[in-house]
Amino acid sequence: MKEHRGTGTREIVKLGNLLLIYCAVLWISSLGVLTMDAEEKKIIRDQIIEMFDHAYGSYMKFAYPADELMPLSCRGRVRGLEPSRGDIDDAMGKFSLTLIDTLDTLVVLNKLDAFEEAVKKVVEEVRVDNDVVVSVFETNIRVLGGLLGGHVMAVMLQNKIQRMQWYKDELLHLAKDLGYRLLPAFNTTSGLPYPRVNLRYGVHNPYSRTGTESDTCTACAGTMILEFAALSRLTGDSVFEDHARRALDVLWDKRQKGSDLVGTVINIHSGDWIRRDSGVGAGIDSYYEYLLKAYVLLGDSIYLQRFNTHYAAIMKYVSQPPLLMSVHMHKPTVNVRGWMDSLLAFFPGLQVLRGDLKPAIETHEMLYQVTKQHNFLPEAFTTDFAVHWAQHPLRPEFAESTYFLYKATRDPYYLKVGKSIVDSLNNHARVSCGFAAVQDVRTGRHEDRMDSFFLAEMFKYLYLLFSEKRDVPLDIDDYVFTTEAHLLPLSLSTVGTSCMENATAMYSSGDEYEIFAHLCPSEQALFPNNPAYAQTIRGRYKNLLKSETVPSSPFSGITLPLHDNGLQSLEILKSMGITLIPMKDGVFHFASSNKAESSMKGVYTLKLIAELTQTPSGEEQGITPLSVQIVSPPFLGRVVLTAGPAQFGLDLTNEEHGVKGSLAKSIPLSACSKISNPEELQGKIAIAQRGDCMFAAKARNLQKAGVLGIIIIDNTEDSCSEDTPIFQMVGDDGGTNDITVPLVFLFSKEGKILLEAIEEHQNVDVLLAVKSKQYGQEEREDKLFQELSFHIQLTDEADVKENRADSFGRMTAVSFETHVTSSPANSGVPEKSDLSSDVDQEPEQV
C-alpha cells in the first residue's frame, strides 16, 4: 500500500509540475514575451557563422597582411599608401591588426583549424618593431589584448584537448615585446601616458615624430590595467602592471572631489583637466569599465571601491533615465550638450555586471528604439533621438549590452533584438568583399572601411547570444571580456600580489547600490531567469519614439505639396470634394461632396495635429554659420563653402566686410608645433588640419607666424556640412584672450575644394565672413520648400457627442513627413547646422 501511495503521490506531483509549467507559459505569453526554440537559435547561429566567414574570409583574401580591409575597394588598407584619415589611422601599425584582433574570436566560434593557422601566421610573419607612430590606447586594447587572448586560447586548447602542442608561448613573447615598446609612453611627470608612441623609436627620440602632445583622454590613460596586468602576471614582470596602476591612481586623485566625476581630456604633465565634461561615452567610457573589471580579474578591492564611488556619482548626475547625459564635472547638475554618442551603448552591459538591472534595461530599450528608427545607432543622436552624427562604423557596443542583458534575464526579447542586429548587418552593411561601415544612416551610404573591432567583438557577442554552453569550446564564465572583447582568465587573480597603496575610502551611501558594494554579482542570485521582470520595465518605453504606424482610414493616404501661400493644397482638397471648415481651437469640420463617397457624407469633427520640423539653423542653435568664399579668378565668388565659427579669436559677425586674404598651407599641417614656413604665411590666411592638439594651440602657433586668419580642415575622411552639423570650436582652460585672428572650420569635403584650388591655381584669395554677408550677395530670407504627407482617420460625429474617453484619440491621426530644403544662391554646399561641439577630436577610437 505504501508503494502504491508513493507512486500515486509522484504522479500527482508530476501532474502538478506540468500544470505549473503550463500556467507559467500562459502567463508569459499573456505578457507578450516572445519565445525562440533551439532550432531557431541554431539557424541564426549558423547565419552568424556564415557572416563571419564572409568578413574574415574577405580580409584574408583581399587585405592580409594589411591592417584592415577596404570592403568597397576589395583591397587592404596600408598606412601611408591611402589618404590619411587623421587619428583613425593611429590604430594601424603595419602589424596585421585585423588578424591579431580576431584570434580568440576564431576559438569562440569553434574555428579551431583557422585559429591554429592564424597563430602560425602571426608567429612567422608579424613584427611589432615598425617605424610607425601608433595610438597607445588602440594598440593596447586591440593588438596587445589580441595577442594575450590568442595566447590564453592556445594554452587552453593545449590543456583541454591536447591540441597545438607545437605552441611554445610565441604570442606571449610577442606581446611582451610590444608591451616594452609601449612603456616609453609612460615617461611623463605625472605617470599618465602619451597618447602616441613610435614602435621603434619610442617618444623622445629625434626620429620618433611624436612626443609633442600634452593631452590625452581619460579612457586612453585609464584603459591599460587589464592588458598590462595580465601581461605582468603571465610573464612575471611587474613593470607593466605598475605603470598601468599608477595611471589609474593619478586619474583617481584628479577626480572632482565634490562630484566624484572625472573630465574627458587631461594634461599628461600637470594633471590639469582640459575638458571638464563628464559622461559615460566617448573619452571616458572604458575607464569606468576597467575599474570594475580590474576588481573582477585581479581581485583587488581598491578598484571596486573606486568604481562604486564613481558609479554613485554617475547614477546621481549622468543617469537621467533612460538617457545618459554629459554634465560638467564641477557643476554636475548642468548638462553640457543635448546629444549622446553611440559609445555609451556599452554601459547597460556594465550595469548588468554590477547587478543594477533596472537602469540597464531602461537605457538599452531607448537605444533599441533608436536602432529601429535608423537601422543602426548613429555615432551621435540628440535627446529627441534625431541624428546628430550620421556615421555608423559597425560598432559592437549595443550587441555587447544585448548579450549581457540576455545572459542576466534569459528574456527571449533580447534574442529578438540580436536578430534585428544580424538582419541590419546583412541588409544594410553587407557588400561583396565583407561588411562596410555606414557613412550616413539616413541614406545608407557606405564607407570603405571595416574596422578590426567588427571581427573581434561583434561576431563574438552575437554568436554567444544565440549559443548554449555546448556550442562553445570553453566555459565563457571563466573569463573576463576586455573592452575589445578579448578573453582573459579569472585565474590571474591568484597570480602575483595586489598592491595596496593609495587606498580608497570605503564607499557607503546607505542607498540601493550598497547591496552590491563589495561583491561580484551572481546572475543566478540576482536574476532568477524571469523574462517578465525585464518586460515590465521596458513597457514604459515602448512609445519613446514617435510611432511610424498610421491608423487605418477609409481613405488612402493623401500627399499634398505645400506652396508658398499654402492655398494650392486647399484647392486640391476642394477638387477632391473635400472641404475643411475652420472652427475654434484648431478644430475643423470636414465635409465630403464626392458622389463616389456618398456613403460617407456628413460632417466629421477633426483635430489636426501637425509637427512641422526642419533642420535647426545655426542661429536657432546659437551658432552663426560662416562661409569661405573663393573670390579670385576663375571662381569670382561662385564657390561658397559653409564653415563653422570659433568661440575665440576675431568675431567675424562684427566684421561688416569679413576678412579677405590669400591662402597658404601651414607646415606642419597640424600646426601643433613650431611653424617652419612663417615667411610663406605672413599676412595670409593659413590652412591647418584638425587633430593632435587643441584648436587654441594651433591658433597661437599660427598667430606667431603672422597669419591674417586661419582655416582648420577636418581630418575625418568624407565629412561635409551636408551630413554633419556645424559646430563651434572652443579654446582651452588657459584663456584665449591672446588670440586675435579669426578662425573658421571646414569639413573635409569642403576643405578638399580649397586644397585642390591651391594645387591648380597657386594664388587663391578667399573671403571669411558671415554666410549672409557673402561677397556679391544681398541679405535675404531663403525660401523654404516643404512637402507634407498626412493621413486622416475619420470618426463619426456620434462618437464625439457620446463624449467617449478615447474618441478624440481615435477621431483623427494626422502625421506629417516634412522635407525642408534651403537654396541660397551660390551656396556651394547645402547648409546644415546643429548643436555645438567643443571637441577637437572625434570619439572614433575610444
Side-chain angles (χ1 to χ4, degrees), residues 14 29 100 114 117 120 162 264 351 364 401 409 454 460 485 497 507 570 611 613 630-631 684 687 712 756 765 808:
K14 287 181 180 179
S29 299
I100 293 176
E117 181 182 350
K120 289 180 178 178
Q162 287 71 55
T264 305
Q351 290 179 305
H364 180 274
S401 287
T409 66
F454 182 60
K460 195 175 292 170
T497 58
Y507 167 70
L570 299 180
E611 181 182 359
T613 62
I630 307 179
V631 295
K684 295 185 179 180
I687 293 179
I712 295 180
E756 290 176 347
D765 296 337
F808 222 76

Side-chain angles (χ1 to χ4, degrees), residues 453-471:
F453 54 67
F454 182 60
L455 289 166
E457 301 182 67
M458 181 70 81
F459 290 109
K460 195 175 292 170
Y461 288 124
L462 289 178
Y463 181 82
L464 290 171
L465 176 62
F466 292 96
S467 297
E468 304 298 335
K469 283 184 177 292
R470 63 179 177 272
D471 302 316

Side-chain angles (χ1 to χ4, degrees), residues 648 693-701 730-732 735-736 739 743 840:
F648 56 93
C693 64
M694 301 294 287
F695 291 121
K698 300 175 189 289
R700 291 188 179 97
N701 290 334
V730 298
D732 52 33
T736 52
I739 300 174
L743 292 87
D840 191 14

Side-chain angles (χ1 to χ4, degrees), residues 553-664:
S553 169
F555 290 121
S556 59
I558 304 170
T559 302
L560 301 173
L562 179 64
H563 291 267
D564 297 344
N565 53 20
L567 295 178
Q568 185 169 339
S569 300
L570 299 180
E571 294 299 319
I572 294 175
L573 285 173
K574 187 174 181 180
S575 69
M576 297 169 65
I578 298 173
T579 303
L580 292 179
I581 305 173
M583 304 295 287
K584 293 182 179 180
D585 300 325
V587 175
F588 287 74
H589 280 298
F590 172 92
S592 173
S593 59
N594 191 329
K595 295 181 180 180
E597 301 290 344
S598 59
S599 62
M600 299 187 63
K601 285 183 179 180
V603 177
Y604 294 81
T605 304
L606 303 177
K607 187 172 180 71
L608 301 183
I609 305 171
E611 181 182 359
L612 302 182
T613 62
Q614 69 183 71
T615 303
S617 66
E619 290 83 356
E620 290 172 344
Q621 295 295 336
I623 303 174
T624 301
L626 304 179
S627 66
V628 178
Q629 186 175 21
I630 307 179
V631 295
S632 56
F635 306 98
L636 299 177
R638 288 188 291 270
V639 175
V640 181
L641 309 172
T642 300
Q647 292 182 356
F648 56 93
L650 181 68
D651 186 357
L652 288 171
T653 62
N654 297 327
E655 299 297 312
E656 182 177 357
H657 302 293
V659 173
K660 182 180 177 182
S662 299
L663 292 179

Side-chain angles (χ1 to χ4, degrees), residues 394-447:
L394 307 182
R395 292 202 185 278
E397 286 78 11
F398 180 64
E400 174 186 357
S401 287
T402 303
Y403 163 68
F404 283 113
L405 274 167
Y406 177 69
K407 188 174 175 64
T409 66
R410 292 294 168 182
D411 186 345
Y413 177 84
Y414 295 109
L415 297 178
K416 170 193 170 186
V417 176
K419 185 178 185 304
S420 73
I421 298 172
V422 172
D423 291 341
S424 290
L425 289 172
N426 268 325
N427 296 334
H428 305 290
R430 186 168 182 143
V431 294
S432 60
C433 295
F435 290 81
V438 180
Q439 178 68 31
D440 192 325
V441 297
R442 296 164 297 192
T443 64
R445 180 160 54 96
H446 286 140
E447 184 178 359

Side-chain angles (χ1 to χ4, degrees), residues 44 55 60 131 243 266 304 366 379 490 578 644 749 757 804 832:
I44 299 174
M60 295 304 295
D131 179 12
H243 278 82
I266 191 169
L304 180 62
M366 177 270 292
E379 274 292 79
L490 290 172
I578 298 173
K749 281 191 175 179
R804 292 172 54 180
K832 182 176 289 186

